Amino acid sequence: MITGIGLDIVELSRIHRLDARSPKFRERVLTESELAEYGQLTAARKVEFLAGRFAAKEAFSKANGTGIGGACSFQDIEIRKDAKGKPSIYFRNTETGMVSITHSKDFAAAQVLLQTNY
Ligand SMILES: CC(C)(COP(=O)(O)OP(=O)(O)OC[C@H]1O[C@@H](n2cnc3c(N)ncnc32)[C@H](O)[C@@H]1OP(=O)(O)O)[C@@H](O)C(=O)NCCC(=O)NCCS
């Protein structure tokens, strides 16, 4: 059964500004393994990657009905990719639903769908 849907869009310029200021923003948003992936990327891909994960985590928090906060932090949510690059979404290490991420020159967006018995 589908239990939630969430959608989010972010401006790449905003994420770039936050990320350029200090490592704190990415360290708050990305988990340790996501930070390791981020570290391998070119400067332009870093912004896309971080923006896409930020959008996916906000979209998850909407599908979950909690928003980001005490009940659901950025660190509780992780996006993992399979060998072909397809992303999956995990909440506290359990796969909980489906995620799709997109970016253009100016924006990143993500959609999350949650299901019971996923
Ligand atoms: C829920 C949350 C993700 C919304 O994101 P936002 O960027 O503020 O706003 P958006 O425009 O993307 O989304 C707004 C919509 O989210 C929906 N929404 C708000 N709270 C929600 C919740 N608990 N569950 C599901 N959807 C929710 C609403 O429909 C709202 O639109 P409306 O007010 O017109 O009805 C946000 O409140 C949140 O938790 N943000 C995390 C903030 C944060 O830690 N930022 C880090 C910056 S360093």
Side-chain angles (χ1 to χ4, degrees):
M1 188 177 78
I2 293 170
T3 58
I5 56 166
L7 180 70
D8 196 59
I9 181 167
V10 294
E11 286 161 11
L12 295 187
S13 59
R14 175 180 164 226
I15 299 298
H16 185 238
R17 199 168 53 244
L18 288 167
D19 195 33
R21 200 180 291 163
S22 94
K24 280 194 184 141
F25 175 70
R26 62 177 173 272
E27 287 168 3
R28 180 170 172 222
V29 172
L30 302 179
T31 63
E32 209 173 298
S33 61
E34 290 168 340
L35 274 172
E37 266 187 85
Y38 168 98
Q40 309 282 316
L41 302 173
T42 61
R45 273 292 294 147
K46 278 187 167 87
V47 176
E48 276 186 0
F49 179 87
L50 179 55
R53 265 120 201 95
F54 181 84
K57 292 181 186 202
E58 289 218 323
F60 175 90
S61 80
K62 292 179 189 177
N64 203 29
T66 52
I68 298 286
C72 174
S73 80
F74 287 114
Q75 292 298 317
D76 289 328
I77 311 162
E78 186 166 87
I79 288 91
R80 300 180 193 167
K81 285 191 201 176
D82 73 8
K84 289 182 177 167
K86 180 188 170 194
S88 304
I89 197 146
Y90 288 72
F91 181 67
R92 297 183 182 152
N93 265 323
T94 302
E95 192 172 7
T96 49
M98 296 177 223
V99 60
S100 184
I101 299 172
T102 184
H103 352 81
S104 68
K105 188 167 77 64
D106 297 319
F107 299 97
Q111 182 175 33
V112 168
L113 186 146
L114 300 182
Q115 276 181 291
T116 48
N117 302 321
Y118 186 71

